[in-house]
């Protein structure tokens, strides 16, 4: 394990993390906060890189690189997912960790922000190799984690099973079962009812609130969804439940179109048994050119795959009236003013997809109490937290005449600063 260190401003790499820095700077400029303090909350407090040797099924060893970034622990323990993807870099993990800080503050839950990742292609690894990789990562970085320190969750290409392996490895080292060290676990291992669908449900709650604010009706609306994993599939499912016609859906392998609305429940069943767990070949829709998915003429566009999808190079081509950011960072700071000019209502990631971390918080609370809630109770609490957050952000936006992303960052930064000032600086 490399030494944990505080990053200096001039060591911060560009790109996705730079995008978060720009979002932060634009919002911070509208707040009355001293520059020194902003530096403290802007940059990650700790970034760790680890080399992970893993025994492959054929007996050979392969090296992987893992990351864990704790952006902030001002408001509580670090909280954030663990991503398995070939493109994982320190830059990306720092960005994702920062967004977690602001997201937890927007929904006002007592967590800081963190994120982890391993650069790997999970589609090329067997279940056994994935298990050994997860366990090695957990064991190597074990000092960072704990229910009061830093609590991972699933993200792109990680699942309930990954969290089960993580929890078991951590517990073996602690010599007792510690369920609250991760969230997004299987329900029989201390997971929460309602966690699996929480992010997508939260996305749709914010869409519903946005439609009401804009005087639009769900049953007359159409939608396109990019990504059909945990977030995209549930977003599409719940959009359909509130009456929206989901006409376009895409994943990494291809896209689908049905002018009468894709039967999302049937598509979920199809994907569960299809090759590569892909939507491609679904008989209830026609194939659609994936390259045009973001530009279709729908009311709601929900990017729910990866970051940097809508940039200054293509923002002009977007035709949707509402963009619901199911993914983290799908719209770059350069694209925001273009979308604003086109009068597109963007529900920013740190608000839109915060349902996942909200129910992760509920899971952590339930694990620590050893007392579990009904699905109805989880859904009702999620509904309350998301509508309150949406309205808090909207109020800041209206009062300051700024778009929702700016408002969400302003609200979040102010909340972190308020806690920091009360705690004081131990210097
Ligand atoms: P996932 O691995 O379950 O699904 C990812 C989906 O995106 C897959 O359908 C994949 O085929 C698709 N995809 C990947 N690259 C694509 C491309 N270039 N074009 C079209 N589709 C593509 O991941 P997930 O958990 O659903 O996460 C998706 C996004 O939501 C990520 O940005 C993640 O950080 C964010 N997010 C996830 C959660 C959560 O609870 N899982 C919570 C908040 C935010």
């Amino acid at each position: 394990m490399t030494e944990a260190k505080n990053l200096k401003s001039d060591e911060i790499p560009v790109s996705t993390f730079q995008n978060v820095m720009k979002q932060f700077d634009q919002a911070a400029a509208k707040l009355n906060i001293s520059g020194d303090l902003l530096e403290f909350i802007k940059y990650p407090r700790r970034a760790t890189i680890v080399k992970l040797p893993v025994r492959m099924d054929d007996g050979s060893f392969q090296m992987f690189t893992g990351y864990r970034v704790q952006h902030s622990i001002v408001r509580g323990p670090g909280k954030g997912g663990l991503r398995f993807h070939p493109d994982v870099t320190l830059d990306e993990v720092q960005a994702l960790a920062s967004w977690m800080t602001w997201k937890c503050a927007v929904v006002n839950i007592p967590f800081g922000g963190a994120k982890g990742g391993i650069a790997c292609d999970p589609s090329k690894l067997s279940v056994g190799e994935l298990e050994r990789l997860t366990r090695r990562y957990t064991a190597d970085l074990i000092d960072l984690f704990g229910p009061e320190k830093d609590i991972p969750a699933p993200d792109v290409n990680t699942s309930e099973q990954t969290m089960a392996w993580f929890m078991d490895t951590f517990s073996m080292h602690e010599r007792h079962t510690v369920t609250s060290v991760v969230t997004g676990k299987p329900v029989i291992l201390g997971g929460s009812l309602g966690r699996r669908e929480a992010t997508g449900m939260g996305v749709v709650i914010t869409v519903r609130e946005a439609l009401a604010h804009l005087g639009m009706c769900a049953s007359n609306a159409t939608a396109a969804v990019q990504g059909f994993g945990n977030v995209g599939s549930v977003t599409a499912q719940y959009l359909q439940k509130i009456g929206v016609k989901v006409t376009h859906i895409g994943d990494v392998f291809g896209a689908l179109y049905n002018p009468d609305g894709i039967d999302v429940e049937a598509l979920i069943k199809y994907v569960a048994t299809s090759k590569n767990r892909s939507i491609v070949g679904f008989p209830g829709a026609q194939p659609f050119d994936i390259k045009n998915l973001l530009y279709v003429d729908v009311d709601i566009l929900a990017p729910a795959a990866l970051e940097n999808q809508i940039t200054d190079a293509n923002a002009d081509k977007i035709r949707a009236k509402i963009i619901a950011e199911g993914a983290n960072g799908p719209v770059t700071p350069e694209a925001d003013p273009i979308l604003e000019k086109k009068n597109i209502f963007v529900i920013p990631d740190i608000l839109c997809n915060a349902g996942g971390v909200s129910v992760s918080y509920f899971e952590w609370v339930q694990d620590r109490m050893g007392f579990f809630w009904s699905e109805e109770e989880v859904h009702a609490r999620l509904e309350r937290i998301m509508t309150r957050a949406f309205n808090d952000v909207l109020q800041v936006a209206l009062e300051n005449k700024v778009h929702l992303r700016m408002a969400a960052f302003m609200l979040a930064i102010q909340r972190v600063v308020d806690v920091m000032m009360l705690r004081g600086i131990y210097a």
Side-chain angles (χ1 to χ4, degrees), residues 263-286:
D263 180 345
V264 180
E265 301 285 345
L267 182 59
I268 290 172
K269 284 198 188 112
Y270 172 83
V271 166
T273 55
S274 74
K275 189 166 174 255
N276 299 320
R277 300 202 149 228
S278 170
I279 61 171
V280 172
F282 176 61
Q286 59 198 73

Side-chain angles (χ1 to χ4, degrees), residues 83 85 96 103 115 154-158 195 199 226-232 250-253 290 293 304-307 309 326-328 353-354 356-357:
R83 176 175 293 196
H85 196 276
L96 292 163
K103 190 182 303 184
K115 200 84 178 191
D155 191 71
V156 174
N157 293 325
T158 55
R195 173 62 185 88
T199 307
Q226 183 199 40
F228 202 69
N230 175 287
V231 181
D251 70 6
V252 72
F253 301 104
I290 181 95
L293 181 67
L306 293 171
E307 54 268 14
Q309 298 299 300
N328 288 307
N353 70 38
V357 76

Side-chain angles (χ1 to χ4, degrees), residues 110-380:
F111 287 140
K115 200 84 178 191
I118 301 177
C120 66
D121 184 350
S123 68
K124 298 207 169 81
L125 299 175
S126 70
V127 173
E129 289 163 348
L130 283 169
E131 176 175 352
R132 292 192 289 280
L133 179 60
T134 305
R135 289 186 183 280
R136 178 73 198 211
Y137 175 87
T138 312
D140 241 318
L141 297 180
I142 201 150
D143 294 339
L144 296 177
F145 298 116
E148 304 285 354
K149 293 181 178 175
D150 185 349
I151 308 133
D155 191 71
V156 174
N157 293 325
T158 55
S159 63
E160 291 186 352
Q161 178 62 77
T162 322
M163 296 304 109
W165 292 327
F166 191 109
M167 191 274 276
D168 181 71
T169 310
F170 186 87
S171 299
M172 288 293 107
H173 284 264
E174 290 289 304
R175 298 287 188 262
H176 65 103
T177 298
V178 187
T179 54
S180 52
V181 68
V182 281
T183 59
K185 299 177 293 293
V187 171
I188 57 166
L189 294 187
S192 177
L193 292 168
R195 173 62 185 88
R196 190 193 55 77
E197 64 272 29
T199 307
M201 273 185 85
V203 169
V204 177
I205 292 169
T206 64
V207 169
R208 193 197 62 207
E209 295 296 302
L211 288 168
H213 170 67
L214 298 171
M216 292 167 67
C217 176
S219 53
N220 292 333
T222 53
V225 179
Q226 183 199 40
F228 202 69
N230 175 287
V231 181
S233 65
V234 180
T235 297
Q237 192 181 18
Y238 278 82
L239 281 173
Q240 201 158 63
K241 277 191 200 212
I242 64 165
V244 175
K245 204 187 274 180
V246 183
T247 51
H248 298 75
I249 296 178
D251 70 6
V252 72
F253 301 104
L256 300 172
Y257 168 60
N258 184 337
D260 301 321
I262 296 166
D263 180 345
V264 180
E265 301 285 345
L267 182 59
I268 290 172
K269 284 198 188 112
Y270 172 83
V271 166
T273 55
S274 74
K275 189 166 174 255
N276 299 320
R277 300 202 149 228
S278 170
I279 61 171
V280 172
F282 176 61
Q286 59 198 73
F288 186 79
D289 183 358
I290 181 95
K291 289 199 286 300
N292 293 324
L293 181 67
L294 298 173
Y295 317 129
V296 294
D297 189 9
V298 287
D299 297 298
I300 303 153
L301 174 65
L306 293 171
E307 54 268 14
N308 302 331
Q309 298 299 300
I310 301 172
T311 67
D312 51 351
N314 67 355
D316 209 32
K317 294 200 258 176
I318 305 290
R319 290 196 278 171
K321 298 183 183 71
I322 297 173
I323 296 179
E325 295 187 341
N328 288 307
V331 174
T332 65
E334 292 74 25
D336 267 333
I338 302 171
L339 299 174
E340 199 180 9
K341 224 184 208 167
K342 285 167 69 85
N343 220 2
I344 296 173
F345 190 85
V346 179
I347 313 172
D349 46 8
I350 59 172
L351 167 65
C352 189
N353 70 38
V357 76
S358 299
V359 177
S360 276
Y361 165 55
F362 302 158
E363 179 173 334
W364 179 78
V365 169
Q366 292 170 79
D367 284 340
R368 285 152 61 93
M369 287 195 299
F371 176 72
F372 291 86
W373 309 341
S374 69
E375 195 164 32
E376 292 72 35
E377 185 165 359
V378 172
H379 286 171

Side-chain angles (χ1 to χ4, degrees), residues 99-114:
W99 279 317
M100 286 308 299
T101 301
W102 313 122
K103 190 182 303 184
C104 292
V106 164
V107 283
N108 217 355
I109 56 177
F111 287 140

Side-chain angles (χ1 to χ4, degrees), residues 74-90:
V74 170
R75 286 172 46 91
K79 184 83 193 83
L82 173 63
R83 176 175 293 196
F84 288 179
H85 196 276
D87 298 339
V88 165
T89 59
L90 178 61

